[in-house]
Amino acid sequence: MRFLPHVTVATIIEEQGRFLMVEEYRDNRLVLNQPAGHVEEDESLIQAALREALEETGYSVKLSSVVGIYLFKADNGVSYQRSCFAGKAIQHHPQRQLDDGIARAIWLTLDELKQRRQDLRSPLVLACIEDYLSKPHYSLDLIR
């Protein structure tokens, strides 16, 4: 059988110890995630990360580094390959309508995220933030 993981991106956006997260509906439940989503056809990983951040949070961002590349198999058997970036919010567009399924963008501290661990969309959410805080970051030149 051929292995076809879903290609996704996520962006860690931190400002003064708080992380820009999205509350989104998944399976009739409100969950927390980084701005993240699937890469579209003819779109680079970097373009996808910038687009997803804007569509899901209403913030334009500037990417600064690659945090890591992750392979995750969900409970439903679907595998995801996530490229996680770090970036900074550069402009908020508060009047912009957020993607369908997104309840709101919210800034949370690491402690607040840990307190809401049961609300995380997947274990990758916290893993990416912990890697962002404790591991080396890589140049965006890594991405071609």
Side-chain angles (χ1 to χ4, degrees):
M1 187 161 93
R2 199 163 160 208
F3 178 62
L4 298 170
H6 292 238
V7 178
T8 63
V9 294
T11 304
I12 307 287
I13 302 160
E14 188 232 351
E15 195 170 288
Q16 298 178 353
R18 299 177 80 91
F19 297 92
L20 183 58
M21 307 296 293
V22 296
E23 287 184 328
E24 60 184 341
Y25 290 99
R26 179 77 175 163
D27 299 326
N28 296 317
R29 184 173 154 248
L30 197 61
V31 296
L32 284 167
N33 198 5
Q34 283 95 14
H38 289 81
V39 177
E40 295 179 358
E41 188 174 352
D42 297 325
E43 182 178 54
S44 73
L45 294 171
I46 289 172
Q47 289 168 333
L50 295 171
R51 177 186 51 76
E52 288 291 351
L54 179 61
E55 291 176 352
E56 293 192 353
T57 68
Y59 281 87
S60 297
V61 301
K62 179 175 175 48
L63 299 181
S64 56
S65 62
V66 177
V67 174
I69 299 171
Y70 305 81
L71 190 60
F72 174 72
K73 188 172 186 177
D75 292 338
N76 63 5
V78 176
S79 292
Y80 297 88
Q81 186 250 305
R82 173 188 266 203
S83 297
C84 184
F85 297 91
K88 295 290 179 194
I90 55 173
Q91 184 177 1
H92 187 217
H93 309 276
Q95 65 282 14
R96 184 179 174 87
Q97 184 171 340
L98 304 180
D99 266 0
D100 287 342
I102 304 294
R104 67 178 175 154
I106 182 173
W107 292 90
L108 297 170
T109 65
L110 180 59
D111 286 340
E112 290 168 330
L113 285 165
K114 287 180 177 179
Q115 289 170 4
R116 294 185 61 186
R117 188 182 305 261
Q118 74 281 356
D119 297 331
L120 300 181
R121 179 162 178 168
S122 82
L124 287 181
V125 175
L126 194 54
C128 288
I129 291 174
E130 289 173 340
D131 288 352
Y132 165 83
L133 292 169
S134 66
K135 292 188 176 180
H137 294 203
Y138 302 93
S139 170
L140 291 173
D141 291 338
L142 179 70
I143 306 297
R144 295 215 175 237

